[in-house]
Amino acid sequence: METGSPENTGTVGDERVGTDEVEPDPAWTGLPPGLLRMRRLLLVVWLGLLTIAVAVLLGILAGPGWATFALLPLALIAWGWVMLGRNWRSWRYAERADDLLISRGVLWREETVVPYGRMQLVEVTSGPVERHFGLASVQLHTAAAATDATIPGLDPAEAERLRDRLTELGEARSAGL
C-alpha cells in the first residue's frame, strides 16, 4: 500500500494516520439581485450627472464640438454595467461545520475562511441607500484584522439570521479555546 492512499487507515495512538477525509463541497449561497440593482442605479445616476456636467461645461467653455467628449462617461456606464454584473455573480458564501467561507473576485479570486471560534464580533449594518433597497451587510471581526470579512447586500432577515447563527457558533467554538 502507498502512504496516504485511502486504503491506509492505520492508527498511531489516538490519531488516525493516512486517512484522506474529503470534506464535501460546501453549499454556496449567492447574493440577492437587489444589490446588483442598487449598484447599477448608483452607477447610472453618478455617471449620468457627470455626463451632463461635462457636456454643459465643455459646451459653454470650449464650444459645442467639444461637448461630444461627454460621451466618454456614457461609455463608462456601459462598461461598468457589465463589470458590476460580473462582480455581483462572483460573490458567494458558505456555512460549514467549523468555519464560514466567503468567495469573491473576477480577475483575482479571493476566498476568506473565518473559523467560528475566532469571531469576536458579528454586526449587521445598513446605510440609507441599502435600507431603501431593503438590503443589509454582515461584517465579521476577528482578532486578526486580515481576516475581517463582509458579506454585502443581504436581505435584512437573512443578515439577522446569519448574525445570530454565527454568534451562536462563535460562542460555542470559543468556549473550548
Side-chain angles (χ1 to χ4, degrees):
M1 259 187 259
E2 295 179 15
T3 303
S5 67
E7 295 82 26
N8 185 6
T9 58
T11 59
V12 174
D14 291 337
E15 296 181 18
R16 296 186 64 86
V17 177
T19 58
D20 291 334
E21 292 183 28
V22 178
E23 199 169 306
D25 287 337
W28 291 99
T29 305
L31 300 180
L35 178 66
L36 180 61
R37 283 193 298 273
M38 178 189 77
R39 288 181 174 175
R40 283 181 170 169
L41 178 66
L42 290 174
L43 173 78
V44 169
V45 166
W46 288 110
L47 286 180
L49 290 174
L50 180 65
T51 300
I52 293 169
V54 168
V56 168
L57 285 175
L58 286 177
I60 291 172
L61 299 175
W66 288 93
T68 57
F69 280 104
L71 296 176
L72 290 176
L74 288 179
L76 284 175
I77 289 174
W79 178 76
W81 190 274
V82 172
M83 291 299 108
L84 284 173
R86 290 183 66 194
N87 179 270
W88 172 76
R89 282 189 300 279
S90 75
W91 275 87
R92 58 191 186 155
Y93 66 96
E95 300 172 61
R96 295 194 308 183
D98 295 323
D99 49 32
L100 177 73
L101 300 176
I102 302 172
S103 179
R104 64 196 168 281
V106 177
L107 291 177
W108 286 273
R109 214 67 196 132
E110 188 174 331
E111 190 167 294
T112 305
V113 180
V114 184
Y116 296 133
R118 301 288 183 205
M119 290 184 204
Q120 293 183 331
L121 174 68
V122 181
E123 63 183 344
V124 175
T125 60
S126 185
V129 176
E130 285 179 312
R131 279 194 309 273
H132 178 75
F133 282 90
L135 301 172
S137 297
V138 173
Q139 190 167 11
L140 310 162
H141 298 279
T142 63
T147 57
D148 285 1
T150 302
I151 304 173
L154 297 173
D155 294 320
E158 171 65 8
E160 290 177 14
R161 183 205 65 81
L162 191 59
R163 178 200 59 207
D164 294 342
R165 175 165 164 70
L166 295 176
T167 301
E168 178 184 315
L169 289 169
E171 289 172 356
R173 297 296 194 283
S174 67
L177 292 178

